[in-house]
Amino acid sequence: MLRKRVFAPVYVIVILAMIAGFLALRLYSVLGKRTGHEQEPALRPAEERAKVTILQPRPAPEMGGDSVRLSEGLLAPGAENGVRALIAADRSFDVPQFVEGAKSAYRMVLEAFWRGDRDELAWLCDSDVFASFQEAIAAREAEGHVLDNRLVRIEKAQIVEASVNGGTAEVALRFEADIAAVTRDKDGHVVAGSLTDAVGTNDIWTFTRDIRSADPNWKLSETDEAA
């Protein structure tokens, strides 16, 4: 005797599918979120740092409006023509984004110098600036001194000059910042300075990039005290 097959009504199948989907979403909501106890991602090894761009320009299709006209306060008087010439040579150059990247580079270079990180400085600076930093670090280490400095704030970052010579672009920025500086001896005793009294600094830093290169990074090529 043949038994008749019993087919489940269509609406039952739909309901079961909805339940299965709901359970899947609930499972994802639990497994897909951090609980605060997971291990944080490991820091990238030194050899991978070169893949990170500090002053990477925004791709031209994403730029909107006139980058120079939208840069009130970011350009010193007299710098506009040089910036326009740079944009004409490199349409991806964006003033606000460049200044923000330069501020990050300013902090990174100072902190690398203070802790004596030669690898980081070699990545951020050109050969001449790196040699100067390296000499200063060596002299400091010979005296057994350690810098315990803090960049309190960057009060101002402004492009004061820009130019393009051949395929090389140069942009000089004036940085006004407050730095708390302390020098300690090998035993940790304070030799000079104070962390409670920040000192104002005025510097001109120049960044250089070969705009013909696919590498979007800018290198620190010169440092000087502002007049």
Side-chain angles (χ1 to χ4, degrees):
M1 179 178 178
L2 297 176
R3 295 184 178 181
K4 295 182 178 180
R5 292 185 179 180
V6 179
F7 294 91
V10 174
Y11 67 84
V12 174
I13 297 174
V14 173
I15 291 174
L16 292 175
M18 292 175 63
I19 292 173
F22 174 78
L23 293 176
L25 287 174
R26 292 292 296 172
L27 183 62
Y28 174 81
S29 68
V30 174
L31 298 181
K33 295 181 178 179
R34 297 181 61 86
T35 64
H37 299 287
E38 295 87 354
Q39 183 177 356
E40 292 295 328
L43 294 176
R44 282 171 291 193
E47 60 268 23
E48 292 188 11
R49 290 179 302 183
K51 301 177 183 178
V52 181
T53 55
I54 301 174
L55 303 176
Q56 182 175 9
R58 183 181 304 166
E62 297 181 12
M63 293 176 59
D66 188 330
S67 174
V68 175
R69 293 185 183 278
L70 296 176
S71 305
E72 183 178 355
L74 300 181
L75 297 178
E80 182 175 330
N81 289 340
V83 169
R84 289 192 180 279
L86 173 53
I87 293 175
D90 180 6
R91 299 299 299 175
S92 66
F93 185 83
D94 178 77
V95 174
Q97 188 176 18
F98 178 86
V99 172
E100 284 303 309
K103 289 164 65 176
S104 296
Y106 180 77
R107 177 181 295 274
M108 292 175 68
V109 169
L110 287 179
E111 292 179 349
F113 172 67
W114 294 337
R115 66 176 180 269
D117 190 336
R118 292 174 172 84
D119 290 338
E120 189 84 353
L121 289 171
W123 172 55
L124 294 166
C125 309
D126 72 3
S127 57
D128 291 338
V129 175
F130 172 65
S132 298
F133 280 134
Q134 193 171 29
E135 182 179 351
I137 292 172
R140 186 174 76 216
E141 291 174 343
E143 295 179 355
H145 290 169
V146 175
L147 297 183
D148 185 15
N149 295 358
R150 302 287 186 276
L151 176 59
V152 179
R153 68 180 63 85
I154 298 175
E155 296 283 0
K156 185 176 183 179
Q158 186 181 60
I159 295 176
V160 295
E161 188 176 354
S163 63
V164 180
N165 298 309
T168 302
E170 289 188 353
V171 181
L173 298 95
R174 180 189 183 106
F175 290 99
E176 298 179 7
D178 293 331
I179 296 175
V182 171
T183 301
R184 301 182 186 274
D185 61 20
K186 61 181 180 180
D187 298 318
H189 300 136
V190 175
V191 176
S194 170
L195 285 177
T196 58
D197 296 324
V199 177
T201 62
N202 293 302
D203 299 316
I204 301 293
W205 283 23
T206 301
F207 295 90
T208 306
R209 174 177 174 257
D210 183 351
I211 59 177
R212 299 165 298 186
S213 170
D215 183 359
N217 281 314
W218 294 71
K219 294 275 190 177
L220 177 62
S221 59
E222 186 177 350
T223 63
D224 198 3
E225 291 186 5

